[in-house]
Each structure stands twice: as C-alpha cells, then as structure tokens.
Amino acid sequence: MSNFEAIIKKIENNTEVVGIIGLGYVGLPLAVSFAKKNVQVLGFEKSPKKTESVNSGKNYIGDIKDEDLSRVVKKTQKFSATTDFSRIKECDAVIICVPTPLDHFKKPDMKFIEQSCIDIGKNMKAGTFISLESTTYPTTTEDFMKPIIETESGLKEGKDFWLCFSPERVDPGNKDYKTDNTPKVVGALGEDAQKIAVALYGKAIQHLYSVSSPRVAEMVKILENTYRLINISLINELALLAGKMDINIWEVIDAAKSKPYGFQAFYPGPGIGGHCIPLDPFYLEHIAKGFNFDLTMINTAGNINNQMPHKMMNKIMYALNRKQKAMNGATILFLGVAYKPDIDDPRESPALLVMEECAKKRANILYHDPYIPECIDDNGKKWVGTDLTDALLSKADCVVFTTNHSCFDIEHIVEKSTLVVDLRNAVKTVHIEDGKVFKL
C-alpha cells in the first residue's frame, strides 16, 4: 500500500491523528472543530501555560464554547496538548497555525513558520500531510517550506509527504460564522495532496473551495485583506476631509449604503487593528519587489492607516483646546483597547497607538476595557485598566471612545463626562454642535 493510499484509508476510517502547531486564535478553534468530529487531535505549543490550560479543559479563546473544549478534552479525550514536538511522529497530518508578524521595516518575519518546518522535518514520519494556515506571501509553501522540510527530513515532497496551503479565516466575535461554517479555501501541491486536503478538512469544515495551487490560495488571503485595508483607509481619509468640511461622514455612509448595488459600506476609525488587515498586504508588497513590481496602492493605503493614530491625537488635542485645556497634564480616559467590539483581542489595536501618541504629549492616560484588564503594546509597555466609575468620568478632562463595546452605557457615559471624543460613532444621538461630543 502506498503512502497516499494509507493516509486516505486512515481518514476514511477516522483513525488519523491530526497535529496542530500553535493553539491561539486560529489553532485552538480548529483543533476543537476536528475533535468534535471524533478526530484524534494533538496540539503543539511552546507555551506550557497554554498546554496546561488545554489539558485542564480551561478555555482561553472567546470564540470557543467552554463546554466544547471541556468535552473533547475530558469526556471524549479526542484532544490533548503538548510542548514535546518530537511527538509529531505520531501524527498523520500536521497543520501549522503560528503567528506571521512583520518586523520594524514591515518585512515578513518568517521565524515561526521556519521553526515549525524544522520541527516537522526533524520529527515527522513518511506519509505525512502538512498544511500551512498562517498568512504569508505567495510561493511560501513551494519555495520556503518545501526545501526546509525536505532537508530536515530527507524525504521527498509528493512521494513521502504532501504540502498544502489553506488560509485561516477567523473573525473574532462573529456570532454567525465560526471555524466550522466559514467556507475554506484549499490549495495543495499536486493532485494527491489536494485529495488528502479535501478529505481531511472536509471533516471539520462544512464548505471547501478548491484552488489549483498553494500560491493561488496564498494570494486569496492577501486579496481579502488588501481589499479591506484599501477601503478602510479610503474611508478614513474621507472622514478626515469631511470633518474639515463640517460633514458627518457617518450620515454620508448611511445614505450611500441605501444604494442596493455597487456599494459596500466601510467605516472609519482611529486606525486598523487585528492580526490580518494591518499586516497581510505587506507580505504581498514584499514578494512583489522580487518581481520588480511596485504596489503603489498598498503603500498609499498603509501610509493613511499609519497616520491615523497621530491624527486622532490631534483631534483629541483640538477638543481639549476648545475647552481651554492643554494636552500636557490632561487626564484622558480611553474606553476600549480591543481592536473591534466585544472581543478580548488587543493585537495591533489602534487604541494603544493613540494612547501612546497622547502619552508622548505628557497626558495622563487611563483606560477601561471590560474584556482586557491589562495588555502590553508593541513597544513592550504594560497598560493596566481601571474601573469605570462616575467619579472617574467626571474627573477625566476627556473621554475617548476607541472601541464601541456593546456593554458601554453610552448615554450614561456622555452624561457624566465633561468632554467626549467619539472615534467609533458610539454616540449617535448627540451632535457636535452641543460642544460636548466631538466625532471623527
């Protein structure tokens, strides 16, 4: 029996073991999705704290139901976690879900993918299917992963193991679409690899969309997030212009989206946050330079986005000046440091950047976020939240809405505050003319 026939038979008989490297916002929900379908899953993590949490059935990801994790760990025992990467040899399939950050020069930092490939190559057995879900630039699977794994393992891709790229599609806080019901793009190297990918992922994901190669699948993910970066940056720039022209950009957007075709609403804010939109398009820019191609639009959109925190600081300063107060020494209370409403994720949050900009002007910075009691920004600075009280609202020289969590009592907050700067259209019934609320 060939390696291909052996793994297909295991998948059909539900006897395969799936290894998932990285148990974060992508890996842990995927692991639970497989385990709920009675697939044996082994999670690999560098963090002992995370492995201990998983093996105790303690959830740390908001998009997973506590009872689901507890059931697949304790009751069915279909999921466990380890820091021992030598156990990769127990796996028939390995899925990589590690971070893919950018360095300070906005170049891809591939160290986590590289280390995963080294770990796999050193420990895998012949007949292993390997899939990358981490966002990256087109050609990564073929030109970056394949040589490392072949060198480390001494095995041959297409014969002894197979490679695939299937981009993660995770939208934290989305109540309708989770890992299992979000359509998933799958692009593998070769016909056999594609058959394995479809058979395996089809167990955990309801709808699969096959493409012809990993590089197509890699480009799909980049396109999705570049589209959002450009459109959000456009509306941010128009919002700044509208403010100068005394036009309410939110009213403009509401009117424009009444058109039943040809328009999709995007909304302005203090910047773009999360693990995808601020980062992914620059992976494409990186690889484009190798083809002597300049992605001007991504550059422009990125520049607009990068300027937003500074411009929001200027807006706060302007609001304070209107009340005859200086930024220097002012107490500014920021409401929300999550990058989007009703989640506990501060990654790439523009709120932290605006706070940092105001701190540079010697303002006294406080924040409240019911989902994030403390966090660390990209510069390593630790921020600790504070309780939201009437006394604090009255004391603050300015209250800034940086995340529009649904649990915020907007009317009460505005009533108790002396000055509000609304960067998220949280305050919809108070007009700028009232002199108390300033909108983006």
Side-chain angles (χ1 to χ4, degrees):
M1 183 183 295
S2 68
N3 287 328
F4 170 73
E5 291 169 333
I7 191 171
I8 288 294
K9 185 174 182 179
K10 283 187 175 183
I11 294 172
E12 290 175 348
N13 294 337
N14 217 46
T15 58
E16 80 276 24
V17 176
V18 175
I20 295 182
I21 299 178
L23 299 178
Y25 288 91
V26 176
L28 189 59
L30 182 63
V32 171
S33 292
F34 271 112
K36 285 171 66 177
K37 298 299 182 181
N38 291 318
V39 175
Q40 194 66 49
V41 181
L42 183 57
F44 294 91
E45 250 297 337
K46 299 290 185 182
S47 167
K49 183 178 179 180
K50 285 185 178 179
T51 58
E52 289 170 10
S53 293
V54 168
N55 291 331
S56 299
K58 295 179 181 178
N59 182 28
Y60 50 85
I61 298 293
D63 280 354
I64 299 174
K65 293 180 180 179
D66 295 349
E67 58 268 27
D68 284 348
L69 177 62
S70 179
R71 184 171 64 84
V72 297
V73 170
K74 294 184 174 182
K75 186 177 180 180
T76 66
Q77 298 184 341
K78 286 294 182 179
F79 179 34
S80 61
T82 182
T83 57
D84 182 3
F85 281 70
S86 70
R87 294 186 64 190
I88 287 174
K89 63 179 175 289
E90 300 174 24
C91 301
D92 301 292
V94 181
I95 301 174
I96 303 171
C97 304
V98 296
T100 49
L102 298 173
D103 64 20
H104 291 299
F105 301 101
K106 289 202 176 294
K107 291 185 178 180
D109 183 349
M110 303 294 285
K111 63 185 177 187
F112 297 111
I113 294 179
E114 181 180 22
Q115 186 58 55
S116 296
C117 290
I118 292 171
D119 289 334
I120 292 169
K122 285 182 175 179
N123 296 292
M124 68 187 246
K125 62 187 178 184
T128 301
F129 170 81
I130 303 160
S131 179
L132 176 65
E133 296 213 359
S134 309
T135 303
T136 184
Y137 55 84
T139 70
T140 295
T141 306
E142 300 165 68
D143 297 344
F144 185 83
M145 291 179 61
K146 177 182 171 181
I148 296 174
I149 297 172
E150 286 188 332
T151 298
E152 295 291 337
S153 67
L155 302 175
K156 184 70 174 175
E157 183 276 324
K159 176 185 176 184
D160 303 312
F161 69 93
W162 304 271
L163 285 176
C164 169
F165 184 78
S166 182
E168 57 91 358
R169 281 176 168 171
V170 175
D171 186 17
N174 193 315
K175 291 179 170 52
D176 297 320
Y177 288 101
K178 304 295 183 181
T179 298
D180 61 348
N181 69 338
T182 300
K184 189 165 187 56
V185 173
V186 178
L189 266 179
E191 186 177 336
D192 285 351
Q194 189 72 11
K195 288 179 180 178
I196 297 168
V198 170
L200 183 70
Y201 274 118
K203 291 187 173 184
I205 312 297
Q206 295 176 18
H207 305 288
L208 301 180
Y209 190 99
S210 292
V211 295
S212 59
S213 67
R215 65 177 62 192
V216 170
E218 290 158 347
M219 183 68 92
V220 168
K221 178 64 172 179
I222 299 293
L223 171 61
E224 291 170 1
N225 288 319
T226 300
Y227 169 80
R228 294 168 68 192
L229 169 70
I230 290 171
N231 282 283
I232 295 172
S233 296
L234 169 65
I235 203 66
N236 277 340
E237 190 168 51
L238 292 179
L240 296 173
L241 173 62
K244 289 181 176 291
M245 300 175 67
D246 196 25
I247 296 172
N248 186 334
I249 191 64
W250 304 96
E251 183 181 359
V252 172
I253 296 169
D254 285 344
K257 72 180 185 181
S258 68
K259 185 179 179 181
Y261 53 86
F263 181 82
Q264 179 179 351
F266 288 85
Y267 298 95
I272 299 174
H275 64 296
C276 288
I277 308 177
L279 307 179
D280 297 356
F282 297 99
Y283 274 81
L284 185 59
E285 184 182 40
H286 166 75
I287 196 65
K289 293 184 185 301
F291 291 87
N292 196 29
F293 194 90
D294 187 17
L295 289 168
T296 307
M297 191 167 290
I298 288 179
N299 254 318
T300 302
N303 288 335
I304 293 170
N305 178 51
N306 290 338
Q307 293 170 15
M308 289 303 292
H310 182 76
K311 292 183 181 297
M312 296 304 97
M313 181 273 292
N314 285 338
K315 186 169 285 289
I316 295 167
M317 185 183 295
Y318 171 78
L320 285 166
N321 287 342
R322 289 290 297 268
K323 294 292 184 179
Q324 298 182 321
K325 290 185 178 292
M327 174 77 79
N328 190 343
T331 296
I332 305 175
L333 173 62
F334 289 84
L335 297 182
V337 293
Y339 77 86
K340 62 183 287 190
D342 303 333
I343 65 170
D344 61 354
D345 190 350
R347 288 178 296 172
E348 307 295 330
S349 173
L352 295 173
L353 298 176
V354 180
M355 289 161 58
E356 181 184 349
E357 289 284 337
C358 292
K360 289 177 182 177
K361 297 295 182 181
R362 299 184 181 278
N364 176 33
I365 306 300
L366 301 172
Y367 92 82
H368 171 76
D369 192 313
Y371 294 92
I372 306 173
E374 61 181 49
C375 62
I376 298 175
D377 65 22
D378 288 341
N379 295 318
K381 176 179 173 57
K382 183 177 181 178
W383 296 90
V384 179
T386 185
D387 293 334
L388 187 63
T389 64
D390 289 353
L392 179 59
L393 289 170
S394 301
K395 171 189 172 184
D397 295 301
C398 182
V399 175
V400 183
F401 282 104
T402 36
T403 310
N404 49 332
H405 289 310
S406 60
C407 60
F408 287 150
D409 187 339
I410 307 298
E411 186 174 344
H412 182 81
I413 290 171
V414 173
E415 178 188 347
K416 297 298 180 181
S417 304
T418 58
L419 175 66
V420 174
V421 174
D422 182 9
L423 305 181
R424 292 291 190 179
N425 199 33
V427 184
K428 299 178 181 178
T429 58
V430 181
H431 300 290
I432 294 175
E433 295 77 35
D434 296 332
K436 189 176 188 179
V437 178
F438 289 80
K439 284 182 169 288
L440 170 59

